Amino acid sequence: MDRYLVFGHPVRHSKSPFIHTLFARQTQQELEYGLAEPAVDEFAQALRIFFDQGGKGCNVTVPFKEQAFTLVDRLSPRAKRAGAVNTIKLTDDGVLLGDNTDGAGLVADLKSHGVTLADSRILLLGAGGAARGALAPLLAELPSELVIANRTHTKAQQLAAEFHDLGPVTAQTYEQLAGPFDLVINSTSASLQGELPPLAPALIHTDIAIYDMMYGASDTAFISWAKQHGARQTMDGLGMLVEQAAEAFTVWRGIRPGTKQVLRELKRNLGVI
Ligand code: ATR
């Protein structure tokens, strides 16, 4: 049977095996999908062994995405832009192809929630790996403006300069931000420490859409905060997780699984509904 897995550390709580097993059942594809948690300095070796032993493809998550970028034979244009690889496919001619489906997953999830990106003013919080992966797919939707704000302003400036050729992207400090924005995307890891990005409450209004790439069994700190300040449409990163997986599955199997039912089952599994 064709073998796939996700590499990460820690990876025990990954929902990818659950999601891909449901995709495989739904599309009647014969495959198995597991987990691998190599020591942080043993990822390269573990990856080689997996493919030497007949593995067909894998996902890569924290902290290995940047290293995976350097280990594949060929990069997709979107992986090149993201500077990170979250999906690897062994092609029929034996080439390890590195791809990145995170940004496409974000855009697909935003669209499935009815969020309009064309001509919109988007505020992206954070300038780390998650922000970098999102920029090209967001700019491809032709927003009127995309502003990056980051605690360390120089990192936002660097990112804006790097993606400037793809669209109207600028960097502003949190203090400089002036609304109204149509959509705010939180790509920071602030909620992992129970913190909030230092965003002025005045930027939140009833018609704004709020997206947090993080997720949990209950509202993230950022979503709770945005709701308190009047945001009516809030979304967490669970849908992005399922959509990036669907995109990876499509890269591997050439068939696109449906995501709605799988997202519902994942929510049930997590105790969200
Ligand atoms: P990831 O790959 O998930 O993006 P990362 O590359 O470590 O992770 O980036 C984390 C992002 O969250 C950074 O933009 C970071 O800001 P700095 O560049 O200033 O470090 C941001 N971040 C983390 N904790 C934060 C906090 N408490 N408030 C605001 N931003 C925070």
Side-chain angles (χ1 to χ4, degrees), residues 17 24 39 45 63 145 154 165 206 210 220-221 228 248 252-253:
Q45 195 187 351
E145 198 179 349
T154 50
D165 58 320
T206 49
I210 299 288
T220 67
Q228 271 167 31
W252 293 325
R253 310 299 298 185

Side-chain angles (χ1 to χ4, degrees), residues 126-130 150-152 155 187-190 193 195-198:
N150 191 47
R151 187 173 58 181
T152 311
K155 277 169 66 181
S187 82
T188 76
S189 49
Q193 300 102 48
E195 291 173 5
L196 288 167

Side-chain angles (χ1 to χ4, degrees), residues 14-25 33 215 238 241-246 249 257 259 262-263 266:
S14 169
K15 296 297 167 197
S16 292
F18 182 87
I19 296 169
H20 283 286
T21 301
L22 291 181
F23 284 163
R25 197 178 303 158
Y33 190 107
Y215 61 86
L238 204 57
L241 177 72
V242 175
E243 294 293 349
Q244 66 75 29
F249 192 94
T259 50
V262 173
L263 180 57
L266 181 60

Side-chain angles (χ1 to χ4, degrees), residues 16-267:
S16 292
F18 182 87
I19 296 169
H20 283 286
T21 301
L22 291 181
F23 284 163
R25 197 178 303 158
Q26 181 204 111
T27 57
Q28 299 179 327
Q29 296 280 300
E30 291 255 332
L31 60 87
E32 58 180 39
Y33 190 107
L35 297 169
E37 193 175 270
V40 169
D41 58 354
E42 286 173 7
F43 170 59
Q45 195 187 351
L47 188 71
R48 200 178 50 241
I49 291 171
F50 172 66
F51 283 108
D52 282 351
Q53 293 181 345
K56 292 286 183 197
C58 64
N59 285 126
V60 181
T61 187
V62 180
F64 299 131
K65 290 185 193 185
E66 282 79 14
Q67 204 185 336
F69 181 86
T70 68
L71 293 172
V72 294
D73 301 320
R74 201 189 302 153
L75 290 163
S76 70
R78 59 189 180 181
K80 218 175 271 177
R81 269 290 180 179
V85 159
N86 81 330
T87 301
I88 302 177
K89 174 187 175 158
L90 181 66
T91 65
D92 291 340
D93 43 0
V95 170
L96 279 192
L97 175 68
D99 198 358
N100 192 311
T101 65
D102 286 331
L106 169 68
V107 167
D109 193 36
L110 284 164
K111 287 184 176 174
S112 84
H113 282 94
V115 176
T116 305
L117 298 170
D119 289 326
S120 67
R121 266 196 102 209
I122 303 175
L123 172 59
L124 179 62
L125 308 179
R132 180 182 293 275
L135 274 166
L138 285 172
L139 289 167
E141 297 299 319
L142 306 178
S144 61
E145 198 179 349
L146 197 163
V147 177
I148 308 171
N150 191 47
R151 187 173 58 181
T152 311
H153 182 52
T154 50
K155 277 169 66 181
Q157 286 176 310
Q158 279 164 17
L159 213 50
E162 198 178 314
F163 285 84
H164 194 66
D165 58 320
L166 295 185
V169 54
T170 57
Q172 288 175 17
T173 65
Y174 279 99
E175 295 76 32
Q176 282 170 338
L177 293 173
F181 289 100
D182 302 302
L183 167 65
V184 179
I185 300 170
N186 181 22
S187 82
T188 76
S189 49
S191 8
L192 292 180
Q193 300 102 48
E195 291 173 5
L196 288 167
L199 195 62
L203 289 169
I204 307 300
H205 54 88
T206 49
D207 296 328
I208 202 165
I210 299 288
Y211 197 99
D212 195 341
M213 289 194 194
M214 299 271 159
Y215 61 86
S218 52
D219 279 349
T220 67
F222 185 65
I223 286 183
S224 301
W225 175 86
K227 280 182 176 172
Q228 271 167 31
H229 293 285
R232 286 188 304 208
Q233 187 179 17
T234 58
M235 297 151 274
D236 73 14
L238 204 57
M240 176 177 170
L241 177 72
V242 175
E243 294 293 349
Q244 66 75 29
E247 188 76 18
F249 192 94
T250 309
V251 168
W252 293 325
R253 310 299 298 185
I255 177 166
R256 180 169 291 276
T259 50
K260 274 209 169 73
Q261 181 64 25
V262 173
L263 180 57
R264 207 169 308 130
E265 293 197 31
L266 181 60
K267 283 184 178 167

